[in-house]
């Protein structure tokens, strides 16, 4: 009997349900083609959960996620809940779910589709062959360190502390090496070891672990240099692993190489194979309900789930190839269309991709 994979499906708000709907069609198609079995369970999360259950992250949704092998998330938020108190804001649920599921890394691929090179602000020849992944530590560093105000010699001062321990660094760095192993086997560890003590510890740990991965080529890159090289030679990067704040900035920079937010997938991982997969974009309230959102980021999040959680590499490749072939054939949703009058809708894009998935 086939191995049944349990997927918690959390559509969320705004365009979330639309784009997740298309991703579910992709799951179904791979079941038919590859004989996979997926058991999907839907949960409420975000604004809709506030409306129906009085909290952005109901316990039953968390239970569904914990019982699953992976979570597929749409997006949450919208103007309706923007003025709510902190505990009744959809975004509070996002932090809560990551914490409750022990997700300590965020994975963001940035690959440039040849036919969309024109959509980027960089020259096409610079972008040629760009296909990288940023692995960002998510639960430590300066965002989570002690913060306070005090009176200093020149009046009020603010202090943010940055703390990393060996265990936190080790687990994320190993993830970086492991992911590099499944790709072009190049790892760039990004730090600021010429200035920061946390970065010096980071680099020590990387160097200690590196001999366990002799097949992976390692380079240390200072974060300021990395920011420059991403714009100069993005195609030379394969996997970038870095701490929380550097990763926050670097992953947004890398995202912009690709030109459109509607194309970007992401994963948050913890120990083991479990992961939460979602598009990078938000709930896009400005276009919600119109059937014009781009479902590709969410569909590519399914491909990422196949690679990182299920090890279904062949099917992941088939999904990515299908997206590429549909784009190559000239089909575009409004966000990536040059001629907006020829743009197709969410469902049409999803259907074309599903039809293009071949074994
Ligand atoms: P957004 O990503 O929702 O939208 C930014 C712009 O990109 C909008 O013009 C939108 O129409 C467009 N866009 C986004 N995704 C698209 C897609 N798939 N297809 C076509 N166009 C797309 O960011 P925002 O407007 O800053 O935030 C809207 C809401 O989403 C807010 O409530 C915010 O808090 C929330 N948000 C949620 C998440 C999440 O769920 N992980 C992430 C970011 C923002």
């Amino acid at each position: 009997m086939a191995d049944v994979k349990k997927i918690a499906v959390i559509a969320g708000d705004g365009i979330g349900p639309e784009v997740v709907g298309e991703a579910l069609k992709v799951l179904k198609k791979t079941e038919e083609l590859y004989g996979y079995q997926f058991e999907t369970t839907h949960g409420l999360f975000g604004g809709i959960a506030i409306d129906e259950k009085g909290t952005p992250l109901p316990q039953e949704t968390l239970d569904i996620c914990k019982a699953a092998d992976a979570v597929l998330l749409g997006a949450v938020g919208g103007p309706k809940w923007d003025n709510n108190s902190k505990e009744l804001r959809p975004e509070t649920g996002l932090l809560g779910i990551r914490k409750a599921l022990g997700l300590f890394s965020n994975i963001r691929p940035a690959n440039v589709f040849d036919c969309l090179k024109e959509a980027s602000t960089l020259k096409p020849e610079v972008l040629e062959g760009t296909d990288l992944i940023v692995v960002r530590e998510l639960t430590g560093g300066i965002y989570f360190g002690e913060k306070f105000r005090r009176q200093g010699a020149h009046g009020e001062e603010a202090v943010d502390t940055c703390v990393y321990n060996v265990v936190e660094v080790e687990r994320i760095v190993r993830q970086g090496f492991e992911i590099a192993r499944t790709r072009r086997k190049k790892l760039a560890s990004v730090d600021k070891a010429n200035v920061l003590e946390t970065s010096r510890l980071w680099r020590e740990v990387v160097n200690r672990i590196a001999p366990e991965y002799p097949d992976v080529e390692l380079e240390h890159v200072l974060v300021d240099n990395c920011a420059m090289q991403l714009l100069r030679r993005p195609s030379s990067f394969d996997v970038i692993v870095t701490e929380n704040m550097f990763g926050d900035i670097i992953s947004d920079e890398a995202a912009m190489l690709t030109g459109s937010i509607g194309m970007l997938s992401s994963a948050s991982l913890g120990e083991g194979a479990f992961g939460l997969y979602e598009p990078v974009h938000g709930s896009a309230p400005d276009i919600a309900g119109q059937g014009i959102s781009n479902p590709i980021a969410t569909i590519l999040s399914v491909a990422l789930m196949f690679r990182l959680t299920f090890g279904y590499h062949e099917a992941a490749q088939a999904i990515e190839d299908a997206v590429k072939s549909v784009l190559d054939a000239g089909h575009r949703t409004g966000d990536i269309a040059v001629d907006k009058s020829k743009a197709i809708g969410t469902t049409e894009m999803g259907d074309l991709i599903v039809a293009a998935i071949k074994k």
Side-chain angles (χ1 to χ4, degrees):
M1 203 185 112
D3 184 12
V4 180
K5 302 290 188 195
K6 291 184 181 167
I7 303 176
V9 179
I10 300 174
D13 309 313
I15 62 169
E18 303 169 19
V19 292
V20 165
E22 300 311 306
L24 292 178
K25 288 189 205 164
V26 166
L27 279 178
K28 190 160 182 293
K29 177 72 181 266
T30 61
E31 283 187 320
E32 290 160 17
L33 280 183
Y34 293 89
Y36 300 150
Q37 285 188 31
F38 300 114
E39 188 186 300
T40 53
T41 313
H42 294 252
L44 291 175
F45 183 54
I48 187 172
I50 294 171
D51 289 353
E52 293 192 19
K53 302 279 174 184
T55 168
L57 177 55
Q59 185 59 43
E60 58 200 82
T61 300
L62 205 48
D63 292 342
I64 291 170
C65 293
K66 284 184 173 165
D69 299 303
V71 180
L72 178 65
L73 177 64
V76 297
K80 184 176 176 191
W81 306 282
D82 274 352
N83 297 320
N84 283 8
S85 61
K86 190 170 169 236
E87 61 281 5
L88 286 183
R89 284 181 56 101
E91 294 79 3
T92 305
L94 281 173
L95 291 179
I97 200 168
R98 294 206 169 96
K99 191 157 179 244
L101 297 175
L103 306 173
F104 61 79
S105 76
N106 187 245
I107 315 286
R108 283 228 223 150
N111 49 343
V112 176
F113 290 89
D114 278 350
C115 60
L116 291 181
K117 276 191 297 198
E118 310 302 327
S120 173
T121 51
L122 291 195
K123 290 183 188 146
E125 62 268 27
V126 174
L127 291 169
E128 189 84 48
T130 296
D131 176 9
L132 61 89
I133 286 191
V134 180
V135 178
R136 166 190 169 192
E137 204 287 326
L138 209 54
T139 57
I142 199 161
Y143 292 173
F144 290 89
E146 199 189 343
K147 305 166 195 313
F148 56 93
R149 299 280 179 105
R150 68 183 173 202
Q151 284 303 313
H154 302 285
E156 192 178 15
E157 290 177 347
V159 181
D160 292 295
T161 40
C162 184
V163 181
Y164 267 110
N165 64 46
V166 173
V167 175
E168 287 170 324
V169 180
E170 243 181 49
R171 62 188 188 183
I172 187 85
V173 166
R174 276 187 199 286
Q175 232 169 44
F177 274 112
E178 292 291 341
I179 292 173
R181 246 185 188 168
T182 67
R183 294 172 45 94
R184 301 197 306 279
K185 300 186 172 51
K186 284 172 65 180
L187 182 68
S189 169
V190 171
D191 62 33
K192 189 73 182 166
N194 53 343
V195 182
L196 298 177
E197 200 52 40
T198 42
S199 281
R200 280 194 270 273
L201 177 76
W202 179 281
R203 203 175 271 214
E204 276 167 34
V205 172
V206 173
N207 285 334
R208 179 162 52 75
I209 291 174
E212 295 173 37
Y213 299 88
D215 50 327
V216 177
E217 184 192 326
L218 168 71
E219 67 170 335
H220 295 284
V221 188
L222 294 174
V223 63
D224 41 343
N225 187 25
C226 179
M228 288 197 290
Q229 300 308 329
L230 268 176
L231 300 183
R232 241 183 80 186
R233 50 164 187 110
S235 62
S236 70
F237 289 104
D238 180 15
V239 178
I240 293 174
V241 65
T242 190
E243 60 102 78
N244 200 346
M245 183 168 68
F246 297 160
D248 191 7
I249 299 165
I250 290 291
S251 59
D252 269 14
E253 186 190 359
M256 278 301 97
L257 299 171
T258 66
S260 173
I261 192 149
M263 305 286 298
L264 296 164
S265 60
S266 81
S268 299
L269 305 178
E271 301 287 358
F274 180 86
L276 180 148
Y277 297 83
E278 60 182 320
V280 166
H281 62 72
S283 58
D286 53 335
I287 57 165
Q290 298 176 32
I292 58 170
S293 60
N294 186 349
I296 293 180
T298 315
I299 289 172
L300 290 176
S301 299
V302 170
L304 202 56
M305 178 191 289
F306 280 14
R307 281 193 196 283
L308 299 179
T309 290
F310 300 149
Y312 293 166
H313 294 282
E314 195 191 332
Q317 193 62 50
I319 296 170
E320 289 159 3
D321 289 348
V323 169
K324 184 173 179 301
S325 74
V326 169
L327 292 172
D328 283 345
H331 303 292
R332 304 276 189 274
T333 42
D335 56 319
I336 50 173
V338 179
D339 181 354
K340 306 281 179 213
S341 70
K342 293 201 179 124
I344 61 173
T346 312
T347 315
E348 211 178 338
M349 179 56 96
D351 287 345
L352 284 166
I353 293 169
V354 166
I357 299 173
K358 301 272 178 326
K359 193 170 177 187

